[in-house]
Amino acid sequence: MSSEIDVPSGGVAAAGGGADAAGTRADAGGDAPARTSDRGAATRSALLAAARDVFCEAGFAQAAVTDIVAKAGASVGSLYHHFNGKADLYLTLFEEFQGRQQERTREAVNRAREAGENDPMRLFIAGAGAYLDGCLAERDVARLFISGDGPPGFDRVMRQRLNKWARRNAALFHTADGGVDEALVVVLTGAMAGAVSEISLSDDEAASRALADDVMAIVSTIHNPRTGHG
């Protein structure tokens, strides 16, 4: 991905000659980088917001770059200044969504710990529930990423990311040698993948929330390898 800062090629810095000109450049340049950076960040944000809307409406395959830039009020050149193309926009939206999901999970686990919870399965449930809540809160993008309509190879990216999430959370359950229970990772990954898919694709929010609660209730009965009980 290219720079987020849209640096103009002309302007005061390109002016020539003399002490007065140099003084003018120094005086005018104080706020220019900040203004330029703000403008570039605003353009980038507008492009991402437009891409999100267009992808959610038309799907990745049918989305056109021209529709994205028109909705953002930008130019094709500005899009390629900030992103490598349509796939880059899609992957950036995915990474930002996953960043928000990770923060939701972290905050939920921390809240549970601060409340005195130390059982690994209960901590996992807190984090997993927050992840599913995020899918409900942002169902449009969650559905986009789970729909199968993405750049080539994206399904593999999704599987790797969910597996990484499950492995990080399964680390709550340390084995005797300090490792991670691989069977537990498989079970938790499969359970979460199924729940995320069903919740994201459902049109019934109440049913989706009930399903999320039911899935977490079932997961909570899984054998806890650390303590020897569920």
Side-chain angles (χ1 to χ4, degrees):
M1 191 182 304
S2 58
S3 170
E4 296 179 13
I5 300 175
D6 185 9
V7 180
S9 58
V12 175
D20 290 341
T24 301
R25 288 197 297 273
D27 293 339
D31 295 331
R35 287 197 301 269
T36 302
S37 178
D38 289 345
R39 184 168 64 250
T43 299
R44 182 180 185 278
S45 294
L47 287 165
L48 283 171
R52 172 176 173 156
D53 290 346
V54 172
F55 288 149
C56 289
E57 292 168 6
F60 175 79
Q62 296 300 317
V65 166
T66 51
D67 291 336
I68 294 171
V69 296
K71 194 174 187 69
S75 66
V76 173
S78 66
L79 186 150
Y80 282 102
H81 174 77
H82 293 282
F83 302 95
N84 292 329
K86 190 169 74 167
D88 195 10
L89 280 164
Y90 186 97
L91 293 172
T92 300
L93 286 170
F94 176 69
E95 290 300 328
E96 292 191 351
F97 173 64
Q98 289 301 321
R100 294 190 295 274
Q101 289 289 74
Q102 183 174 336
E103 184 63 16
R104 289 177 174 120
T105 300
R106 185 190 66 79
E107 289 179 353
V109 172
N110 285 344
R111 283 195 301 270
R113 283 183 168 137
E114 289 169 0
E117 184 60 74
N118 57 17
D119 177 74
M121 182 56 77
R122 301 313 306 172
L123 292 174
F124 174 82
I125 295 300
Y131 191 100
L132 294 180
D133 283 346
C135 291
L136 288 167
E138 299 190 54
R139 188 180 302 180
D140 54 347
V141 289
R143 177 178 295 182
L144 172 66
F145 300 134
I146 207 71
S147 67
D149 181 12
F154 180 71
D155 55 341
R156 178 173 55 84
V157 173
M158 273 288 295
R159 287 195 303 272
Q160 289 176 340
R161 180 53 67 91
L162 189 57
N163 184 265
K164 180 179 179 181
W165 182 89
R167 290 186 69 83
R168 183 171 59 247
N169 288 281
L172 292 165
F173 309 94
H174 299 297
T175 57
D177 60 0
V180 174
D181 189 308
E182 293 297 333
L184 183 64
V185 170
V186 171
V187 170
L188 295 180
T189 301
M192 288 302 299
V196 167
S197 178
E198 291 298 323
I199 287 169
S200 300
L201 296 177
S202 172
D203 291 322
D204 188 329
E205 182 174 353
S208 293
R209 188 165 294 280
L211 177 61
D213 291 341
D214 289 344
V215 168
M216 290 299 94
I218 292 171
V219 170
S220 69
T221 67
I222 294 173
H223 172 69
N224 183 332
R226 187 181 205 187
T227 63
H229 55 78

